């Protein structure tokens, strides 16, 4: 393996070649966690790796097979139902500190947050899924600003306490539900060391080849803690050193199944880019600034043979979806027609006619 081939290996690990049939929840479980702050794009991140439609993926979320909550770093993530509790056990405390700190800026201390949790539990009991605004009305809290930072801190704290997660969509609005009404608590618990080691193995098997600093960035844990986790699972991973950097990946890697010609229209914040500390292996030229900003906004990307060659956006019209593309380099019309074949997967997933402009 050489540095320029790492992106090909990552596409295999990230299930972008769809070599086996799998369900939406199996895709999420494979990754451990998938970034999901943009809900519509997050569903396509799952759909691009299996043959499920958008409706099928949304049903998996609504039914609690896939949980959407704040976990890792912290930001919104999809997590498989089987994994939510042990992930909260290992990552919840560091996210909770941020939530508590945010609430304190509005004069809300830990005791008050616990009181809010009791009221939230009562309001949501019996599968009563409510939006954040509806929950804030139950708590008699007015919006503090356009972004409602206090409301966000209160709900993030409740998530880290294992009380709530996202519930069923209410039209286009996100709701919250009681986590225990969607997923039963497990009878056994992992130690923090066991949990971080499990998370590390899941990460390198689904994202590798990747470095220690990549895992540290993705998980939100310190490099020291991540090094201990890698040491614990070293025998279960392969690794290679390139330019004095060690890249770790799963034992299930097979060279003969690696590379194939492919074009993918991937969503904003897709794991193929966002889950790594540095991302130069996915680019052939100096185009990273066109793809993501310094303040963490990632755009939908066009991936050809593992390299980002452009960006795209969708606009929902009455009877169709308009797709606009921007290629980084001059692209012949004949080649564009071949590249646009990659959008058919999205058309099948969304179930709506697509028009490229």
């Amino acid at each position: 393996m050489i540095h320029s081939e790492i992106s090909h290996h990552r596409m295999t690990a990230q299930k972008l070649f769809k070599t086996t049939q799998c369900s939406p929840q199996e895709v999420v479980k494979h990754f451990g966690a998938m970034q999901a702050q943009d809900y519509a794009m997050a569903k396509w991140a799952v759909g691009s790796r299996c043959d499920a439609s958008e409706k099928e993926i949304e049903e998996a979320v609504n039914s609690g097979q896939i949980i959407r909550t704040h976990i890792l770093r912290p930001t919104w993530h999809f997590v498989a139902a089987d994994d939510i509790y042990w992930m909260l056990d290992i990552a919840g405390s560091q996210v909770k500190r941020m939530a508590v700190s945010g609430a304190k800026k509005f004069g809300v201390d830990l005791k008050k947050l616990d009181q809010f949790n009791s009221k939230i539990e009562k309001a949501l009991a019996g599968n009563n899924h409510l939006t954040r605004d509806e929950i804030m009305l139950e708590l008699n809290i007015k919006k503090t600003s356009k972004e409602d930072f206090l409301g966000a801190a209160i709900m993030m704290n409740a998530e880290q306490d294992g009380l709530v997660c996202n519930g069923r969509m209410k039209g286009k609005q996100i709701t919250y539900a009681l986590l225990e009404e969607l997923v039963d608590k497990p009878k056994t618990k992992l130690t923090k060391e066991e949990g971080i080691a499990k998370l590390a193995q899941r990460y390198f098997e689904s994202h590798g080849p990747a470095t220690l600093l990549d895992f540290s960035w993705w998980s939100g844990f310190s490099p020291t803690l991540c090094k201990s986790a890698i040491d614990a699972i070293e025998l279960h991973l392969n690794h290679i050193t390139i330019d004095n950097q060690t890249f770790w990946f799963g034992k299930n890697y097979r060279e003969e199944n690696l590379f194939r010609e492919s074009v993918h229209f991937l969503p904003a914040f897709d794991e193929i880019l966002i889950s790594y500390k540095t991302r130069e292996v996915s680019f052939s030229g100096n185009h990273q600034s066109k793809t993501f900003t310094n303040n963490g906004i990632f755009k939908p990307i066009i991936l050809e043979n593992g390299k980002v060659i452009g960006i795209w956006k969708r606009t929902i019209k009455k009877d169709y979806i308009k797709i606009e593309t921007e290629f980084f380099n001059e692209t012949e019309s004949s080649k564009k027609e071949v590249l646009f074949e990659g959008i058919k997967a999205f058309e099948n997933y969304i179930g709506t006619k697509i028009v490229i402009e």
Side-chain angles (χ1 to χ4, degrees), residues 215-263:
F215 176 54
S216 177
W217 149 252
W218 178 83
S219 66
F221 293 119
S222 70
T224 300
L225 204 55
C226 292
K227 175 66 165 59
S228 296
I230 293 173
D231 289 344
I233 61 168
E234 184 173 358
L235 295 178
H236 301 285
L237 298 175
N238 286 330
H239 69 276
I240 188 168
T241 301
I242 304 173
D243 296 334
N244 295 318
Q245 273 195 312
T246 301
F247 292 83
W248 300 89
F249 51 99
K251 289 273 191 180
N252 56 356
Y253 160 75
R254 290 187 297 175
E255 185 79 38
E256 65 270 19
N257 288 337
L258 182 57
F259 179 73
R260 66 199 69 186
E261 297 282 333
S262 65
V263 176

Side-chain angles (χ1 to χ4, degrees), residues 61-65 67 81 85 127 129 165-168 177-184:
V61 177
N62 288 343
S63 64
Q65 297 174 73
I67 300 299
Y85 285 110
N127 288 302
H129 298 201
C165 63
N166 272 180
R168 294 185 299 270
L178 293 179
L179 179 58
E180 284 192 50
E181 289 187 341
L182 292 176
V183 186
D184 293 333

Side-chain angles (χ1 to χ4, degrees), residues 107-214:
V108 176
D109 60 13
L110 192 56
K111 181 179 178 181
K112 190 66 175 177
L113 286 171
D114 289 340
Q115 292 172 353
F116 284 152
N117 275 359
S118 296
K119 292 181 179 179
I120 291 169
E121 185 174 12
K122 185 176 179 180
L124 297 178
N127 288 302
N128 187 29
H129 298 201
L130 298 176
T131 67
R132 191 167 80 190
D133 286 348
E134 290 170 335
I135 293 172
M136 292 305 110
L137 284 175
E138 293 285 338
L139 301 181
N140 197 28
I141 292 177
K142 296 180 181 179
K143 282 193 174 183
T144 54
S145 68
K146 182 180 178 181
E147 293 82 9
D148 188 18
F149 289 118
L150 176 57
I154 290 170
M155 297 313 299
M156 189 183 294
N157 176 73
E159 288 173 313
Q160 304 320 304
D161 286 342
L163 180 64
V164 303
C165 63
N166 272 180
R168 294 185 299 270
M169 293 293 292
K170 186 175 286 188
K172 293 184 178 181
Q173 291 186 294
I174 298 292
T175 71
Y176 288 87
L178 293 179
L179 179 58
E180 284 192 50
E181 289 187 341
L182 292 176
V183 186
D184 293 333
K185 273 193 170 182
K187 295 180 180 179
T188 59
K189 295 181 68 172
L190 300 177
T191 66
K192 185 167 185 177
E193 291 74 17
E194 289 171 337
I196 296 176
K198 183 174 182 176
L199 187 68
Q201 184 157 350
R202 195 79 64 85
Y203 173 79
F204 288 111
E205 288 177 348
S206 60
H207 295 78
T211 66
L212 182 154
L213 290 180
D214 289 329

